[in-house]
Amino acid sequence: MDERDIRLLKAISDLGTGSPEKLHEATDIPVSTIHYRLNNLREAGIVTNDLYDVDLEAFGLGVTVIVEVLADYSGSHEEVGEKITAIEGVTQAFFTMGETDFVVLARLPHSDAVERLISDFEAIPEVERTNSTFVISTLKDSARSLQSYDLETLLAEFVE
């Protein structure tokens, strides 16, 4: 991968589309080049389907870390949550009940980036401490929640 491939994948992620015309507007990469590069990214296994999902491990974000964040804050949890979600590499964040205030999922390029991630959490004044867990192997990671349900269950639950 080179700079153009990364610019293209970032634009797909930001725009939520693989439209070559819209990608051209966002990146100034010629439409014909976009077609060529998307085909190459598919062949390399980085783009996995026509929805332009990216295999993060093939891309180079192969380290997954789950971080529990314990915070002390007097205002709303949304303010602390905004600071947490602004940290580079954070892909999911949840405000939770119980001992842990936030559960965060981060995707990182290598284990050295974990130190930077934790330092970024510690730089947030409201964060008292963190508990980090390295993911050894991803068993399931889907952005499409409906895939985990049978059609019959969805029909029974949501059709009036």
Side-chain angles (χ1 to χ4, degrees):
M1 277 191 308
D2 63 9
E3 182 180 334
R4 277 189 166 184
D5 291 331
I6 292 171
R7 286 183 183 281
L8 188 58
L9 291 170
K10 175 72 170 135
I12 289 169
S13 180
D14 289 349
L15 298 172
T17 182
S19 163
E21 291 76 20
K22 290 186 181 194
L23 293 171
H24 166 70
E25 290 172 14
T27 64
D28 288 329
I29 298 172
V31 171
S32 60
T33 303
I34 290 172
H35 284 289
Y36 172 77
R37 287 179 176 270
L38 287 176
N39 284 335
N40 287 345
L41 290 166
R42 277 192 193 101
E43 288 175 12
I46 294 169
V47 171
T48 61
N49 55 34
D50 290 339
L51 298 173
Y52 302 98
D53 289 331
V54 174
D55 180 325
L56 295 177
E57 202 160 315
F59 178 81
L61 293 174
V63 175
T64 303
V65 180
I66 300 168
V67 183
E68 294 176 277
V69 179
L70 284 78
D72 183 20
Y73 52 94
S74 57
S76 77
H77 70 276
E78 285 96 354
E79 291 175 17
V80 179
E82 287 176 16
K83 294 175 185 179
I84 289 171
T85 58
I87 294 173
E88 200 167 59
V90 169
T91 59
Q92 295 179 328
F94 306 94
F95 176 62
T96 59
M97 292 175 52
E99 187 176 321
T100 301
D101 296 298
F102 299 91
V103 175
V104 177
L105 184 80
R107 297 299 300 253
L108 305 169
H110 43 72
S111 59
D112 293 342
V114 176
E115 183 177 356
R116 190 257 327 143
L117 178 79
I118 300 307
S119 293
D120 289 350
F121 281 117
E122 291 173 350
I124 298 172
E126 296 87 351
V127 172
E128 288 187 331
R129 69 181 184 89
T130 61
N131 181 32
S132 303
T133 304
F134 276 88
V135 173
I136 302 297
S137 176
T138 301
L139 304 177
K140 184 175 185 177
D141 183 12
S142 175
R144 295 181 187 81
S145 299
L146 297 183
Q147 287 179 333
S148 68
Y149 289 91
D150 287 331
L151 177 59
E152 293 77 22
T153 302
L154 293 172
L155 293 172
E157 289 291 328
F158 300 106
V159 173
E160 296 177 16

